[in-house]
PDB file of all heavy atoms in Angstrom:
ATOM      1  N   LYS A 240     -12.606  14.530  -4.351  1.00  0.00           N
ATOM      2  CA  LYS A 240     -13.626  14.767  -3.376  1.00  0.00           C
ATOM      3  C   LYS A 240     -14.535  13.553  -3.320  1.00  0.00           C
ATOM      4  O   LYS A 240     -14.997  13.001  -4.296  1.00  0.00           O
ATOM      5  CB  LYS A 240     -14.459  16.001  -3.719  1.00  0.00           C
ATOM      6  CG  LYS A 240     -13.682  17.302  -3.575  1.00  0.00           C
ATOM      7  CD  LYS A 240     -14.607  18.473  -3.929  1.00  0.00           C
ATOM      8  CE  LYS A 240     -13.855  19.755  -3.822  1.00  0.00           C
ATOM      9  NZ  LYS A 240     -14.746  20.985  -4.097  1.00  0.00           N
ATOM     10  N   THR A 241     -14.817  13.080  -2.056  1.00  0.00           N
ATOM     11  CA  THR A 241     -15.803  12.003  -1.861  1.00  0.00           C
ATOM     12  C   THR A 241     -16.908  12.481  -0.977  1.00  0.00           C
ATOM     13  O   THR A 241     -16.739  13.392  -0.146  1.00  0.00           O
ATOM     14  CB  THR A 241     -15.116  10.789  -1.229  1.00  0.00           C
ATOM     15  OG1 THR A 241     -14.507  11.130  -0.001  1.00  0.00           O
ATOM     16  CG2 THR A 241     -14.034  10.225  -2.188  1.00  0.00           C
ATOM     17  N   ARG A 242     -18.130  11.867  -1.077  1.00  0.00           N
ATOM     18  CA  ARG A 242     -19.238  12.330  -0.325  1.00  0.00           C
ATOM     19  C   ARG A 242     -19.182  11.908   1.077  1.00  0.00           C
ATOM     20  O   ARG A 242     -19.606  12.610   1.979  1.00  0.00           O
ATOM     21  CB  ARG A 242     -20.574  11.760  -1.014  1.00  0.00           C
ATOM     22  CG  ARG A 242     -20.798  12.336  -2.335  1.00  0.00           C
ATOM     23  CD  ARG A 242     -22.172  11.864  -2.877  1.00  0.00           C
ATOM     24  NE  ARG A 242     -22.211  10.374  -3.014  1.00  0.00           N
ATOM     25  CZ  ARG A 242     -21.783   9.732  -4.083  1.00  0.00           C
ATOM     26  NH1 ARG A 242     -21.279  10.414  -5.134  1.00  0.00           N
ATOM     27  NH2 ARG A 242     -21.864   8.426  -4.133  1.00  0.00           N
ATOM     28  N   ASN A 243     -18.689  10.692   1.355  1.00  0.00           N
ATOM     29  CA  ASN A 243     -18.588  10.127   2.695  1.00  0.00           C
ATOM     30  C   ASN A 243     -17.575   8.994   2.778  1.00  0.00           C
ATOM     31  O   ASN A 243     -16.852   8.800   1.811  1.00  0.00           O
ATOM     32  CB  ASN A 243     -20.003   9.628   3.172  1.00  0.00           C
ATOM     33  CG  ASN A 243     -20.599   8.734   2.041  1.00  0.00           C
ATOM     34  OD1 ASN A 243     -19.867   7.875   1.500  1.00  0.00           O
ATOM     35  ND2 ASN A 243     -21.895   8.923   1.814  1.00  0.00           N
ATOM     36  N   LEU A 244     -17.482   8.392   3.919  1.00  0.00           N
ATOM     37  CA  LEU A 244     -16.492   7.321   4.133  1.00  0.00           C
ATOM     38  C   LEU A 244     -16.697   6.154   3.178  1.00  0.00           C
ATOM     39  O   LEU A 244     -15.712   5.583   2.606  1.00  0.00           O
ATOM     40  CB  LEU A 244     -16.506   6.834   5.607  1.00  0.00           C
ATOM     41  CG  LEU A 244     -15.525   5.746   6.019  1.00  0.00           C
ATOM     42  CD1 LEU A 244     -14.087   6.196   5.649  1.00  0.00           C
ATOM     43  CD2 LEU A 244     -15.705   5.404   7.440  1.00  0.00           C
ATOM     44  N   ASP A 245     -17.917   5.773   2.914  1.00  0.00           N
ATOM     45  CA  ASP A 245     -18.161   4.663   2.053  1.00  0.00           C
ATOM     46  C   ASP A 245     -17.724   4.994   0.626  1.00  0.00           C
ATOM     47  O   ASP A 245     -17.201   4.096  -0.045  1.00  0.00           O
ATOM     48  CB  ASP A 245     -19.641   4.281   2.104  1.00  0.00           C
ATOM     49  CG  ASP A 245     -20.065   3.697   3.396  1.00  0.00           C
ATOM     50  OD1 ASP A 245     -19.218   2.990   4.049  1.00  0.00           O
ATOM     51  OD2 ASP A 245     -21.257   3.819   3.814  1.00  0.00           O
ATOM     52  N   ASP A 246     -17.917   6.237   0.224  1.00  0.00           N
ATOM     53  CA  ASP A 246     -17.437   6.701  -1.103  1.00  0.00           C
ATOM     54  C   ASP A 246     -15.891   6.648  -1.138  1.00  0.00           C
ATOM     55  O   ASP A 246     -15.341   6.226  -2.164  1.00  0.00           O
ATOM     56  CB  ASP A 246     -17.957   8.030  -1.411  1.00  0.00           C
ATOM     57  CG  ASP A 246     -17.907   8.433  -2.830  1.00  0.00           C
ATOM     58  OD1 ASP A 246     -17.703   7.481  -3.698  1.00  0.00           O
ATOM     59  OD2 ASP A 246     -17.991   9.614  -3.174  1.00  0.00           O
ATOM     60  N   THR A 247     -15.248   6.971  -0.020  1.00  0.00           N
ATOM     61  CA  THR A 247     -13.771   6.845   0.057  1.00  0.00           C
ATOM     62  C   THR A 247     -13.340   5.425  -0.094  1.00  0.00           C
ATOM     63  O   THR A 247     -12.352   5.121  -0.835  1.00  0.00           O
ATOM     64  CB  THR A 247     -13.336   7.429   1.416  1.00  0.00           C
ATOM     65  OG1 THR A 247     -13.631   8.822   1.430  1.00  0.00           O
ATOM     66  CG2 THR A 247     -11.784   7.251   1.551  1.00  0.00           C
ATOM     67  N   ILE A 248     -13.991   4.494   0.530  1.00  0.00           N
ATOM     68  CA  ILE A 248     -13.661   3.069   0.481  1.00  0.00           C
ATOM     69  C   ILE A 248     -13.838   2.578  -0.987  1.00  0.00           C
ATOM     70  O   ILE A 248     -12.940   1.802  -1.455  1.00  0.00           O
ATOM     71  CB  ILE A 248     -14.575   2.267   1.436  1.00  0.00           C
ATOM     72  CG1 ILE A 248     -14.196   2.659   2.892  1.00  0.00           C
ATOM     73  CG2 ILE A 248     -14.390   0.786   1.241  1.00  0.00           C
ATOM     74  CD1 ILE A 248     -15.169   2.054   3.914  1.00  0.00           C
ATOM     75  N   ARG A 249     -14.892   2.979  -1.662  1.00  0.00           N
ATOM     76  CA  ARG A 249     -15.015   2.634  -3.021  1.00  0.00           C
ATOM     77  C   ARG A 249     -13.897   3.107  -3.892  1.00  0.00           C
ATOM     78  O   ARG A 249     -13.433   2.433  -4.837  1.00  0.00           O
ATOM     79  CB  ARG A 249     -16.399   3.055  -3.561  1.00  0.00           C
ATOM     80  CG  ARG A 249     -17.572   2.270  -3.055  1.00  0.00           C
ATOM     81  CD  ARG A 249     -18.856   2.621  -3.782  1.00  0.00           C
ATOM     82  NE  ARG A 249     -19.325   3.957  -3.487  1.00  0.00           N
ATOM     83  CZ  ARG A 249     -20.146   4.239  -2.444  1.00  0.00           C
ATOM     84  NH1 ARG A 249     -20.576   3.276  -1.646  1.00  0.00           N
ATOM     85  NH2 ARG A 249     -20.475   5.477  -2.211  1.00  0.00           N
ATOM     86  N   TYR A 250     -13.496   4.332  -3.613  1.00  0.00           N
ATOM     87  CA  TYR A 250     -12.336   4.929  -4.441  1.00  0.00           C
ATOM     88  C   TYR A 250     -11.064   4.146  -4.203  1.00  0.00           C
ATOM     89  O   TYR A 250     -10.330   3.875  -5.173  1.00  0.00           O
ATOM     90  CB  TYR A 250     -12.205   6.391  -4.035  1.00  0.00           C
ATOM     91  CG  TYR A 250     -11.061   7.055  -4.788  1.00  0.00           C
ATOM     92  CD1 TYR A 250     -11.182   7.389  -6.074  1.00  0.00           C
ATOM     93  CD2 TYR A 250      -9.886   7.349  -4.121  1.00  0.00           C
ATOM     94  CE1 TYR A 250     -10.104   8.002  -6.798  1.00  0.00           C
ATOM     95  CE2 TYR A 250      -8.797   7.906  -4.779  1.00  0.00           C
ATOM     96  CZ  TYR A 250      -8.935   8.326  -6.109  1.00  0.00           C
ATOM     97  OH  TYR A 250      -7.837   8.844  -6.799  1.00  0.00           O
ATOM     98  N   LEU A 251     -10.753   3.854  -2.950  1.00  0.00           N
ATOM     99  CA  LEU A 251      -9.579   3.085  -2.697  1.00  0.00           C
ATOM    100  C   LEU A 251      -9.545   1.705  -3.282  1.00  0.00           C
ATOM    101  O   LEU A 251      -8.569   1.240  -3.798  1.00  0.00           O
ATOM    102  CB  LEU A 251      -9.338   2.914  -1.123  1.00  0.00           C
ATOM    103  CG  LEU A 251      -8.983   4.225  -0.379  1.00  0.00           C
ATOM    104  CD1 LEU A 251      -8.977   3.922   1.104  1.00  0.00           C
ATOM    105  CD2 LEU A 251      -7.721   4.849  -0.818  1.00  0.00           C
ATOM    106  N   THR A 252     -10.736   1.130  -3.385  1.00  0.00           N
ATOM    107  CA  THR A 252     -10.901  -0.181  -4.063  1.00  0.00           C
ATOM    108  C   THR A 252     -10.567  -0.026  -5.521  1.00  0.00           C
ATOM    109  O   THR A 252      -9.804  -0.906  -6.081  1.00  0.00           O
ATOM    110  CB  THR A 252     -12.313  -0.712  -3.828  1.00  0.00           C
ATOM    111  OG1 THR A 252     -12.593  -0.807  -2.465  1.00  0.00           O
ATOM    112  CG2 THR A 252     -12.474  -2.056  -4.497  1.00  0.00           C
ATOM    113  N   ARG A 253     -11.177   0.955  -6.166  1.00  0.00           N
ATOM    114  CA  ARG A 253     -10.943   1.143  -7.594  1.00  0.00           C
ATOM    115  C   ARG A 253      -9.454   1.442  -7.873  1.00  0.00           C
ATOM    116  O   ARG A 253      -8.910   0.938  -8.876  1.00  0.00           O
ATOM    117  CB  ARG A 253     -11.821   2.312  -8.191  1.00  0.00           C
ATOM    118  CG  ARG A 253     -13.300   1.978  -8.153  1.00  0.00           C
ATOM    119  CD  ARG A 253     -14.140   2.926  -8.959  1.00  0.00           C
ATOM    120  NE  ARG A 253     -13.919   4.385  -8.528  1.00  0.00           N
ATOM    121  CZ  ARG A 253     -14.768   4.902  -7.595  1.00  0.00           C
ATOM    122  NH1 ARG A 253     -15.699   4.227  -7.036  1.00  0.00           N
ATOM    123  NH2 ARG A 253     -14.489   6.167  -7.266  1.00  0.00           N
ATOM    124  N   MET A 254      -8.864   2.292  -7.055  1.00  0.00           N
ATOM    125  CA  MET A 254      -7.431   2.617  -7.244  1.00  0.00           C
ATOM    126  C   MET A 254      -6.593   1.334  -7.131  1.00  0.00           C
ATOM    127  O   MET A 254      -5.589   1.155  -7.877  1.00  0.00           O
ATOM    128  CB  MET A 254      -7.032   3.659  -6.235  1.00  0.00           C
ATOM    129  CG  MET A 254      -7.315   5.074  -6.599  1.00  0.00           C
ATOM    130  SD  MET A 254      -6.476   5.630  -8.071  1.00  0.00           S
ATOM    131  CE  MET A 254      -4.749   5.270  -7.635  1.00  0.00           C
ATOM    132  N   THR A 255      -6.890   0.462  -6.224  1.00  0.00           N
ATOM    133  CA  THR A 255      -6.051  -0.721  -6.000  1.00  0.00           C
ATOM    134  C   THR A 255      -6.192  -1.629  -7.206  1.00  0.00           C
ATOM    135  O   THR A 255      -5.177  -2.124  -7.726  1.00  0.00           O
ATOM    136  CB  THR A 255      -6.548  -1.479  -4.740  1.00  0.00           C
ATOM    137  OG1 THR A 255      -6.460  -0.604  -3.609  1.00  0.00           O
ATOM    138  CG2 THR A 255      -5.681  -2.706  -4.502  1.00  0.00           C
ATOM    139  N   PHE A 256      -7.410  -1.810  -7.664  1.00  0.00           N
ATOM    140  CA  PHE A 256      -7.596  -2.639  -8.947  1.00  0.00           C
ATOM    141  C   PHE A 256      -6.889  -2.040 -10.139  1.00  0.00           C
ATOM    142  O   PHE A 256      -6.330  -2.721 -10.925  1.00  0.00           O
ATOM    143  CB  PHE A 256      -9.076  -2.790  -9.238  1.00  0.00           C
ATOM    144  CG  PHE A 256      -9.792  -3.719  -8.212  1.00  0.00           C
ATOM    145  CD1 PHE A 256     -11.136  -3.489  -7.968  1.00  0.00           C
ATOM    146  CD2 PHE A 256      -9.112  -4.741  -7.625  1.00  0.00           C
ATOM    147  CE1 PHE A 256     -11.815  -4.364  -7.037  1.00  0.00           C
ATOM    148  CE2 PHE A 256      -9.741  -5.570  -6.743  1.00  0.00           C
ATOM    149  CZ  PHE A 256     -11.125  -5.382  -6.453  1.00  0.00           C
ATOM    150  N   LEU A 257      -6.955  -0.656 -10.245  1.00  0.00           N
ATOM    151  CA  LEU A 257      -6.288   0.015 -11.355  1.00  0.00           C
ATOM    152  C   LEU A 257      -4.783  -0.208 -11.343  1.00  0.00           C
ATOM    153  O   LEU A 257      -4.150  -0.504 -12.344  1.00  0.00           O
ATOM    154  CB  LEU A 257      -6.580   1.501 -11.381  1.00  0.00           C
ATOM    155  CG  LEU A 257      -5.879   2.398 -12.315  1.00  0.00           C
ATOM    156  CD1 LEU A 257      -6.284   1.995 -13.731  1.00  0.00           C
ATOM    157  CD2 LEU A 257      -6.196   3.868 -12.065  1.00  0.00           C
ATOM    158  N   LEU A 258      -4.162  -0.095 -10.112  1.00  0.00           N
ATOM    159  CA  LEU A 258      -2.708  -0.230 -10.074  1.00  0.00           C
ATOM    160  C   LEU A 258      -2.281  -1.727 -10.280  1.00  0.00           C
ATOM    161  O   LEU A 258      -1.266  -1.992 -10.866  1.00  0.00           O
ATOM    162  CB  LEU A 258      -2.209   0.211  -8.670  1.00  0.00           C
ATOM    163  CG  LEU A 258      -2.354   1.692  -8.329  1.00  0.00           C
ATOM    164  CD1 LEU A 258      -1.919   2.020  -6.901  1.00  0.00           C
ATOM    165  CD2 LEU A 258      -1.426   2.477  -9.315  1.00  0.00           C
ATOM    166  N   GLN A 259      -3.120  -2.613  -9.779  1.00  0.00           N
ATOM    167  CA  GLN A 259      -2.840  -4.064 -10.154  1.00  0.00           C
ATOM    168  C   GLN A 259      -2.856  -4.278 -11.597  1.00  0.00           C
ATOM    169  O   GLN A 259      -1.991  -5.023 -12.080  1.00  0.00           O
ATOM    170  CB  GLN A 259      -3.875  -4.939  -9.380  1.00  0.00           C
ATOM    171  CG  GLN A 259      -3.739  -4.991  -7.906  1.00  0.00           C
ATOM    172  CD  GLN A 259      -4.836  -5.688  -7.195  1.00  0.00           C
ATOM    173  OE1 GLN A 259      -5.908  -6.063  -7.806  1.00  0.00           O
ATOM    174  NE2 GLN A 259      -4.696  -5.993  -5.906  1.00  0.00           N
ATOM    175  N   LYS A 260      -3.814  -3.688 -12.317  1.00  0.00           N
ATOM    176  CA  LYS A 260      -3.923  -3.926 -13.733  1.00  0.00           C
ATOM    177  C   LYS A 260      -2.702  -3.204 -14.453  1.00  0.00           C
ATOM    178  O   LYS A 260      -2.093  -3.749 -15.395  1.00  0.00           O
ATOM    179  CB  LYS A 260      -5.200  -3.390 -14.262  1.00  0.00           C
ATOM    180  CG  LYS A 260      -5.377  -3.487 -15.740  1.00  0.00           C
ATOM    181  CD  LYS A 260      -6.777  -2.982 -16.244  1.00  0.00           C
ATOM    182  CE  LYS A 260      -6.938  -3.174 -17.704  1.00  0.00           C
ATOM    183  NZ  LYS A 260      -8.250  -2.633 -18.190  1.00  0.00           N
ATOM    184  N   MET A 261      -2.364  -2.027 -13.970  1.00  0.00           N
ATOM    185  CA  MET A 261      -1.257  -1.271 -14.610  1.00  0.00           C
ATOM    186  C   MET A 261       0.059  -2.058 -14.475  1.00  0.00           C
ATOM    187  O   MET A 261       0.812  -2.207 -15.457  1.00  0.00           O
ATOM    188  CB  MET A 261      -1.085   0.098 -13.890  1.00  0.00           C
ATOM    189  CG  MET A 261      -2.113   1.131 -14.243  1.00  0.00           C
ATOM    190  SD  MET A 261      -1.922   2.642 -13.310  1.00  0.00           S
ATOM    191  CE  MET A 261      -0.166   3.060 -13.625  1.00  0.00           C
ATOM    192  N   TYR A 262       0.337  -2.583 -13.306  1.00  0.00           N
ATOM    193  CA  TYR A 262       1.669  -3.232 -13.158  1.00  0.00           C
ATOM    194  C   TYR A 262       1.663  -4.698 -13.570  1.00  0.00           C
ATOM    195  O   TYR A 262       2.710  -5.348 -13.680  1.00  0.00           O
ATOM    196  CB  TYR A 262       2.055  -3.184 -11.609  1.00  0.00           C
ATOM    197  CG  TYR A 262       2.549  -1.767 -11.323  1.00  0.00           C
ATOM    198  CD1 TYR A 262       1.745  -0.825 -10.746  1.00  0.00           C
ATOM    199  CD2 TYR A 262       3.910  -1.419 -11.610  1.00  0.00           C
ATOM    200  CE1 TYR A 262       2.260   0.425 -10.426  1.00  0.00           C
ATOM    201  CE2 TYR A 262       4.372  -0.140 -11.293  1.00  0.00           C
ATOM    202  CZ  TYR A 262       3.552   0.777 -10.777  1.00  0.00           C
ATOM    203  OH  TYR A 262       3.968   2.022 -10.464  1.00  0.00           O
ATOM    204  N   ASP A 263       0.501  -5.235 -13.927  1.00  0.00           N
ATOM    205  CA  ASP A 263       0.422  -6.544 -14.667  1.00  0.00           C
ATOM    206  C   ASP A 263       0.856  -6.415 -16.051  1.00  0.00           C
ATOM    207  O   ASP A 263       1.370  -7.363 -16.677  1.00  0.00           O
ATOM    208  CB  ASP A 263      -0.975  -7.134 -14.569  1.00  0.00           C
ATOM    209  CG  ASP A 263      -1.264  -7.857 -13.250  1.00  0.00           C
ATOM    210  OD1 ASP A 263      -0.250  -8.125 -12.567  1.00  0.00           O
ATOM    211  OD2 ASP A 263      -2.392  -8.106 -12.893  1.00  0.00           O
ATOM    212  N   ASP A 264       0.732  -5.179 -16.596  1.00  0.00           N
ATOM    213  CA  ASP A 264       1.158  -4.884 -17.936  1.00  0.00           C
ATOM    214  C   ASP A 264       2.697  -4.783 -17.960  1.00  0.00           C
ATOM    215  O   ASP A 264       3.237  -3.995 -17.203  1.00  0.00           O
ATOM    216  CB  ASP A 264       0.484  -3.634 -18.457  1.00  0.00           C
ATOM    217  CG  ASP A 264       0.804  -3.292 -19.882  1.00  0.00           C
ATOM    218  OD1 ASP A 264       1.597  -4.104 -20.449  1.00  0.00           O
ATOM    219  OD2 ASP A 264       0.246  -2.341 -20.404  1.00  0.00           O
ATOM    220  N   SER A 265       3.356  -5.487 -18.802  1.00  0.00           N
ATOM    221  CA  SER A 265       4.817  -5.432 -18.862  1.00  0.00           C
ATOM    222  C   SER A 265       5.401  -4.068 -19.192  1.00  0.00           C
ATOM    223  O   SER A 265       6.574  -3.800 -18.936  1.00  0.00           O
ATOM    224  CB  SER A 265       5.360  -6.451 -19.894  1.00  0.00           C
ATOM    225  OG  SER A 265       4.897  -6.150 -21.102  1.00  0.00           O
ATOM    226  N   THR A 266       4.554  -3.159 -19.737  1.00  0.00           N
ATOM    227  CA  THR A 266       5.099  -1.814 -20.047  1.00  0.00           C
ATOM    228  C   THR A 266       5.226  -0.977 -18.822  1.00  0.00           C
ATOM    229  O   THR A 266       6.029   0.028 -18.855  1.00  0.00           O
ATOM    230  CB  THR A 266       4.160  -1.068 -21.051  1.00  0.00           C
ATOM    231  OG1 THR A 266       2.852  -0.941 -20.471  1.00  0.00           O
ATOM    232  CG2 THR A 266       4.062  -1.887 -22.348  1.00  0.00           C
ATOM    233  N   ASN A 267       4.647  -1.305 -17.733  1.00  0.00           N
ATOM    234  CA  ASN A 267       4.721  -0.539 -16.472  1.00  0.00           C
ATOM    235  C   ASN A 267       5.781  -1.252 -15.636  1.00  0.00           C
ATOM    236  O   ASN A 267       5.454  -2.267 -14.947  1.00  0.00           O
ATOM    237  CB  ASN A 267       3.368  -0.441 -15.802  1.00  0.00           C
ATOM    238  CG  ASN A 267       2.422   0.479 -16.539  1.00  0.00           C
ATOM    239  OD1 ASN A 267       2.593   1.652 -16.516  1.00  0.00           O
ATOM    240  ND2 ASN A 267       1.469  -0.119 -17.222  1.00  0.00           N
ATOM    241  N   THR A 268       7.039  -0.818 -15.708  1.00  0.00           N
ATOM    242  CA  THR A 268       8.082  -1.543 -14.984  1.00  0.00           C
ATOM    243  C   THR A 268       8.387  -0.925 -13.662  1.00  0.00           C
ATOM    244  O   THR A 268       8.010   0.207 -13.324  1.00  0.00           O
ATOM    245  CB  THR A 268       9.287  -1.533 -15.809  1.00  0.00           C
ATOM    246  OG1 THR A 268       9.603  -0.156 -16.272  1.00  0.00           O
ATOM    247  CG2 THR A 268       9.172  -2.383 -17.086  1.00  0.00           C
ATOM    248  N   LEU A 269       9.095  -1.673 -12.845  1.00  0.00           N
ATOM    249  CA  LEU A 269       9.441  -1.194 -11.403  1.00  0.00           C
ATOM    250  C   LEU A 269      10.890  -1.563 -11.193  1.00  0.00           C
ATOM    251  O   LEU A 269      11.385  -2.602 -11.450  1.00  0.00           O
ATOM    252  CB  LEU A 269       8.507  -2.007 -10.484  1.00  0.00           C
ATOM    253  CG  LEU A 269       8.774  -1.812  -8.982  1.00  0.00           C
ATOM    254  CD1 LEU A 269       8.552  -0.321  -8.580  1.00  0.00           C
ATOM    255  CD2 LEU A 269       7.936  -2.768  -8.166  1.00  0.00           C
ATOM    256  N   SER A 270      11.575  -0.583 -10.500  1.00  0.00           N
ATOM    257  CA  SER A 270      12.932  -0.753 -10.113  1.00  0.00           C
ATOM    258  C   SER A 270      13.069  -0.283  -8.685  1.00  0.00           C
ATOM    259  O   SER A 270      12.330   0.664  -8.238  1.00  0.00           O
ATOM    260  CB  SER A 270      13.958  -0.009 -10.979  1.00  0.00           C
ATOM    261  OG  SER A 270      14.001  -0.515 -12.273  1.00  0.00           O
ATOM    262  N   PHE A 271      13.937  -0.890  -7.914  1.00  0.00           N
ATOM    263  CA  PHE A 271      14.195  -0.404  -6.531  1.00  0.00           C
ATOM    264  C   PHE A 271      15.555   0.122  -6.375  1.00  0.00           C
ATOM    265  O   PHE A 271      16.500  -0.328  -7.031  1.00  0.00           O
ATOM    266  CB  PHE A 271      13.835  -1.470  -5.526  1.00  0.00           C
ATOM    267  CG  PHE A 271      14.908  -2.487  -5.247  1.00  0.00           C
ATOM    268  CD1 PHE A 271      15.799  -2.309  -4.292  1.00  0.00           C
ATOM    269  CD2 PHE A 271      14.906  -3.661  -5.994  1.00  0.00           C
ATOM    270  CE1 PHE A 271      16.839  -3.261  -3.991  1.00  0.00           C
ATOM    271  CE2 PHE A 271      15.904  -4.640  -5.799  1.00  0.00           C
ATOM    272  CZ  PHE A 271      16.828  -4.427  -4.737  1.00  0.00           C
ATOM    273  N   LEU A 272      15.719   1.103  -5.488  1.00  0.00           N
ATOM    274  CA  LEU A 272      16.961   1.753  -5.170  1.00  0.00           C
ATOM    275  C   LEU A 272      17.541   1.155  -3.867  1.00  0.00           C
ATOM    276  O   LEU A 272      16.925   1.168  -2.846  1.00  0.00           O
ATOM    277  CB  LEU A 272      16.791   3.239  -4.989  1.00  0.00           C
ATOM    278  CG  LEU A 272      16.095   3.932  -6.107  1.00  0.00           C
ATOM    279  CD1 LEU A 272      15.973   5.463  -5.830  1.00  0.00           C
ATOM    280  CD2 LEU A 272      16.741   3.736  -7.543  1.00  0.00           C
ATOM    281  N   PRO A 273      18.753   0.501  -3.960  1.00  0.00           N
ATOM    282  CA  PRO A 273      19.275  -0.220  -2.726  1.00  0.00           C
ATOM    283  C   PRO A 273      19.518   0.823  -1.606  1.00  0.00           C
ATOM    284  O   PRO A 273      20.084   1.892  -1.751  1.00  0.00           O
ATOM    285  CB  PRO A 273      20.622  -0.760  -3.298  1.00  0.00           C
ATOM    286  CG  PRO A 273      20.437  -0.836  -4.811  1.00  0.00           C
ATOM    287  CD  PRO A 273      19.564   0.291  -5.121  1.00  0.00           C
ATOM    288  N   THR A 274      19.126   0.344  -0.459  1.00  0.00           N
ATOM    289  CA  THR A 274      19.348   1.216   0.714  1.00  0.00           C
ATOM    290  C   THR A 274      20.783   1.494   1.040  1.00  0.00           C
ATOM    291  O   THR A 274      21.109   2.605   1.476  1.00  0.00           O
ATOM    292  CB  THR A 274      18.697   0.495   1.943  1.00  0.00           C
ATOM    293  OG1 THR A 274      17.267   0.300   1.663  1.00  0.00           O
ATOM    294  CG2 THR A 274      18.789   1.374   3.224  1.00  0.00           C
ATOM    295  N   SER A 275      21.636   0.569   0.772  1.00  0.00           N
ATOM    296  CA  SER A 275      23.122   0.719   1.062  1.00  0.00           C
ATOM    297  C   SER A 275      23.733   1.833   0.260  1.00  0.00           C
ATOM    298  O   SER A 275      24.743   2.255   0.596  1.00  0.00           O
ATOM    299  CB  SER A 275      23.807  -0.579   0.815  1.00  0.00           C
ATOM    300  OG  SER A 275      23.614  -1.043  -0.551  1.00  0.00           O
ATOM    301  N   GLN A 276      23.088   2.265  -0.809  1.00  0.00           N
ATOM    302  CA  GLN A 276      23.634   3.303  -1.656  1.00  0.00           C
ATOM    303  C   GLN A 276      23.023   4.698  -1.315  1.00  0.00           C
ATOM    304  O   GLN A 276      23.478   5.729  -1.939  1.00  0.00           O
ATOM    305  CB  GLN A 276      23.394   3.018  -3.152  1.00  0.00           C
ATOM    306  CG  GLN A 276      24.070   1.699  -3.596  1.00  0.00           C
ATOM    307  CD  GLN A 276      23.703   1.404  -5.060  1.00  0.00           C
ATOM    308  OE1 GLN A 276      23.056   2.135  -5.717  1.00  0.00           O
ATOM    309  NE2 GLN A 276      24.139   0.209  -5.476  1.00  0.00           N
ATOM    310  N   ILE A 277      22.118   4.764  -0.420  1.00  0.00           N
ATOM    311  CA  ILE A 277      21.388   6.004  -0.074  1.00  0.00           C
ATOM    312  C   ILE A 277      21.976   6.582   1.195  1.00  0.00           C
ATOM    313  O   ILE A 277      21.880   5.979   2.262  1.00  0.00           O
ATOM    314  CB  ILE A 277      19.910   5.812   0.096  1.00  0.00           C
ATOM    315  CG1 ILE A 277      19.277   5.230  -1.216  1.00  0.00           C
ATOM    316  CG2 ILE A 277      19.218   7.095   0.443  1.00  0.00           C
ATOM    317  CD1 ILE A 277      17.834   4.821  -1.172  1.00  0.00           C
ATOM    318  N   SER A 278      22.664   7.734   1.105  1.00  0.00           N
ATOM    319  CA  SER A 278      23.298   8.305   2.301  1.00  0.00           C
ATOM    320  C   SER A 278      22.390   9.291   3.011  1.00  0.00           C
ATOM    321  O   SER A 278      22.569   9.538   4.221  1.00  0.00           O
ATOM    322  CB  SER A 278      24.554   9.032   1.885  1.00  0.00           C
ATOM    323  OG  SER A 278      24.277  10.045   0.962  1.00  0.00           O
ATOM    324  N   SER A 279      21.403   9.835   2.394  1.00  0.00           N
ATOM    325  CA  SER A 279      20.550  10.854   2.980  1.00  0.00           C
ATOM    326  C   SER A 279      19.313  11.022   2.095  1.00  0.00           C
ATOM    327  O   SER A 279      19.192  10.535   0.971  1.00  0.00           O
ATOM    328  CB  SER A 279      21.268  12.156   3.097  1.00  0.00           C
ATOM    329  OG  SER A 279      21.588  12.719   1.822  1.00  0.00           O
ATOM    330  N   SER A 280      18.271  11.751   2.624  1.00  0.00           N
ATOM    331  CA  SER A 280      17.083  12.059   1.919  1.00  0.00           C
ATOM    332  C   SER A 280      17.390  12.893   0.682  1.00  0.00           C
ATOM    333  O   SER A 280      16.766  12.743  -0.353  1.00  0.00           O
ATOM    334  CB  SER A 280      16.053  12.743   2.756  1.00  0.00           C
ATOM    335  OG  SER A 280      16.572  13.976   3.330  1.00  0.00           O
ATOM    336  N   GLN A 281      18.400  13.821   0.798  1.00  0.00           N
ATOM    337  CA  GLN A 281      18.778  14.589  -0.337  1.00  0.00           C
ATOM    338  C   GLN A 281      19.344  13.737  -1.499  1.00  0.00           C
ATOM    339  O   GLN A 281      19.116  14.082  -2.677  1.00  0.00           O
ATOM    340  CB  GLN A 281      19.729  15.732   0.112  1.00  0.00           C
ATOM    341  CG  GLN A 281      20.034  16.807  -0.923  1.00  0.00           C
ATOM    342  CD  GLN A 281      18.765  17.511  -1.355  1.00  0.00           C
ATOM    343  OE1 GLN A 281      17.934  17.854  -0.604  1.00  0.00           O
ATOM    344  NE2 GLN A 281      18.651  17.646  -2.682  1.00  0.00           N
TER     345      GLN A 281
END
């Protein structure tokens, strides 16, 4: 819950900085799934 739009903007800013810090840490890894292997949403 946020009080107003400015409070929402501050929250999005903090979330962005948090995710940048998380993925700078080598323990938070990322893999992608190739599109050519995905036949459907299921």
Side-chain angles (χ1 to χ4, degrees):
K240 292 183 180 180
T241 58
R242 294 186 297 274
N243 48 41
L244 180 58
D245 290 330
D246 198 14
T247 296
I248 293 172
R249 285 191 290 270
Y250 177 74
L251 292 175
T252 303
R253 293 194 301 270
M254 277 297 304
T255 304
F256 289 150
L257 174 63
L258 291 175
Q259 289 173 348
K260 183 178 180 181
M261 285 174 55
Y262 284 96
D263 277 343
D264 185 356
S265 60
T266 59
N267 291 285
T268 50
L269 174 65
S270 294
F271 81 92
L272 309 180
T274 303
S275 58
Q276 299 176 5
I277 301 174
S278 61
S279 64
S280 58
Q281 190 57 45

